[in-house]
């Protein structure tokens, strides 16, 4: 039986103090009685402060990215070992904003891909995180152009296969996968619940082929992309959607709390 999970991705928002105030407000609303797993993914710099708050609650801590090597001459990177020092339980990997072009930001064509993760680096990150006991939240999803070309399923299948090369089913057992259609992230354009369920079911089938049925039945699959308090319940009611990866709405205490309630 998979327990629901709701993760908030704050991206490059909120100072430590603002983050602390937000988590305190969420805890005040929830009375610390979550029946599901709730994860907050602050920026690296806010992790120590939010780790302190989380330690006194049932909220789990997540990071938004990591490097795959333990230590060394990798300027500006953060390793899974450094995350584990702050009791980070989860780490987002392969978010569309780190795979390629950043969200809605207009950046020069020459910088597209500058931040990008390939299937190969995503695979290395997953292995490094599993080694440290940090649960990866692996993001997959198609762009609008890929959807319109009828490539949604094949793109996602390739992302899953690339990310999971050489990872044993026993390790994959605790994995979290987030289906995040790129065109739905930060746009207010949520994927229709029936279609989100179809894709999440396809993802589960694919995980069954890569690992085995028991493993794929245990893996939690989240939907992400403009999840709000008024559409969360319909999405989370779907049998293959085990919760959400939430960006914008996770930074408004009342909205995030309502999304948590919808998942419960
Ligand atoms: C995200 O950052 O993964 C995301 C889904 O953002 P939003 O909820 O704002 O669309």
């Amino acid at each position: 039986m998979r327990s629901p999970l709701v993760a908030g991705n704050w991206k490059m928002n909120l100072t430590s103090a603002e983050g602390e105030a937000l988590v305190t407000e969420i805890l005040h609303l929830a009375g610390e009685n979550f029946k599901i797993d709730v994860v907050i993914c602050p920026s690296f710099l806010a992790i120590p402060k939010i780790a302190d708050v989380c330690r006194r609650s049932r909220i789990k801590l997540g990071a938004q990215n990591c490097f795959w090597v333990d230590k060394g001459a990798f300027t500006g990177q953060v390793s899974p070992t450094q995350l584990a020092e702050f009791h980070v339980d989860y780490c987002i990997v392969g978010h569309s904003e780190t795979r390629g072009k950043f969200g809605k930001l207009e950046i020069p064509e020459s910088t597209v891909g500058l931040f990008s993760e390939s299937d190969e680096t995503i695979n290395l990150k997953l292995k490094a995180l599993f080694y440290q006991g940090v649960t990866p939240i692996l993001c997959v999803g198609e762009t609008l152009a890929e959807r319109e070309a009828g490539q949604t399923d094949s793109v996602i299948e390739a992302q899953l296969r690339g990310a999971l090369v050489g990872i044993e089913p026993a390790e994959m057992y605790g994995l979290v996968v987030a289906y995040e259609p790129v065109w739905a992230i930060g746009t207010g354009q949520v994927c229709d619940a029936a279609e989100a369920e179809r894709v999440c079911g396809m993802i589960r089938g694919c995980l069954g082929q890569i690992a085995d049925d028991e493993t794929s039945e245990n893996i939690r699959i989240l939907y992400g992309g403009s999840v709000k308090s008024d559409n969360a319940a319909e999405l989370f009611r779907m049998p293959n959607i085990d919760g959400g990866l939430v960006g914008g709405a996770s930074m408004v205490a009342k909205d995030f709390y309502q999304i948590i309630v919808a998942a419960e």
Side-chain angles (χ1 to χ4, degrees):
M1 181 64 183
R2 302 182 296 271
S3 60
L5 188 155
V6 170
N9 176 11
W10 291 354
K11 311 193 185 191
M12 198 181 67
N13 294 296
L14 307 181
T15 61
S16 296
E18 288 165 345
E20 183 183 25
L22 175 59
V23 175
T24 306
E25 205 182 334
I26 295 165
L27 289 171
H28 179 71
L29 288 169
E32 303 203 16
N33 287 324
F34 305 125
K35 297 189 198 79
I36 63 163
D37 289 333
V38 176
V39 182
I40 299 281
C41 305
S43 70
F44 286 133
L45 287 174
I47 281 179
K49 173 65 86 184
I50 305 304
D52 268 352
V53 190
C54 287
R55 210 169 292 136
R56 289 179 257 123
S57 79
R58 285 205 52 229
I59 293 185
K60 301 262 198 312
L61 189 60
Q64 299 174 16
N65 199 359
C66 70
F67 198 62
W68 58 89
V69 180
D70 213 28
K71 59 180 172 190
F74 304 103
T75 303
Q77 302 301 314
V78 174
S79 74
T81 313
Q82 291 169 324
L83 296 180
E85 185 190 357
F86 288 94
H87 307 284
V88 168
D89 300 295
Y90 293 84
C91 182
I92 296 170
V93 181
H95 193 283
S96 64
E97 288 161 11
T98 57
R99 276 184 193 262
K101 188 169 174 172
F102 267 120
K104 289 176 289 182
L105 183 65
E106 288 308 320
I107 54 176
E109 207 52 38
S110 60
T111 65
V112 172
L114 201 62
F115 319 93
S116 76
E117 296 172 289
S118 63
D119 286 336
E120 204 175 348
T121 61
I122 289 168
N123 177 250
L124 289 166
K125 289 179 185 188
L126 292 190
K127 287 175 176 164
L129 288 165
F130 280 129
Y131 185 76
Q132 268 310 323
V134 179
T135 300
I137 301 177
L138 167 65
C139 299
V140 295
E142 80 289 358
T143 63
L144 187 58
E146 288 162 344
R147 171 162 285 269
E148 285 173 350
Q151 295 167 346
T152 299
D153 294 11
S154 58
V155 164
I156 292 171
E157 179 167 352
Q159 289 172 339
L160 288 170
R161 290 191 182 278
L164 296 171
V165 170
I167 298 177
E168 294 297 319
E171 247 175 349
M172 236 186 271
Y173 207 72
L175 177 70
V176 178
V177 175
Y179 168 49
E180 295 217 311
V182 180
W183 48 271
I185 297 175
T187 59
Q189 206 187 328
V190 67
C191 183
D192 172 71
E195 172 60 6
E197 164 62 13
R198 187 196 69 75
V199 177
C200 290
M202 183 277 293
I203 290 172
R204 198 173 301 289
C206 194
L207 292 169
Q209 287 171 13
I210 296 170
D212 53 58
D213 286 348
E214 195 196 327
T215 304
S216 81
E217 282 304 317
N218 198 64
I219 292 175
R220 288 181 287 185
I221 302 176
L222 314 180
Y223 167 80
S226 298
V227 174
K228 304 278 180 253
S229 51
D230 60 0
N231 59 29
E234 194 188 357
L235 287 157
F236 299 166
R237 211 174 285 130
M238 296 293 165
N240 281 298
I241 300 179
D242 304 311
L245 178 56
V246 186
S250 71
M251 289 177 283
V252 180
K254 198 159 73 52
D255 291 356
F256 193 54
Y257 172 61
Q258 281 168 1
I259 291 168
I260 293 166
V261 171
E264 287 176 344

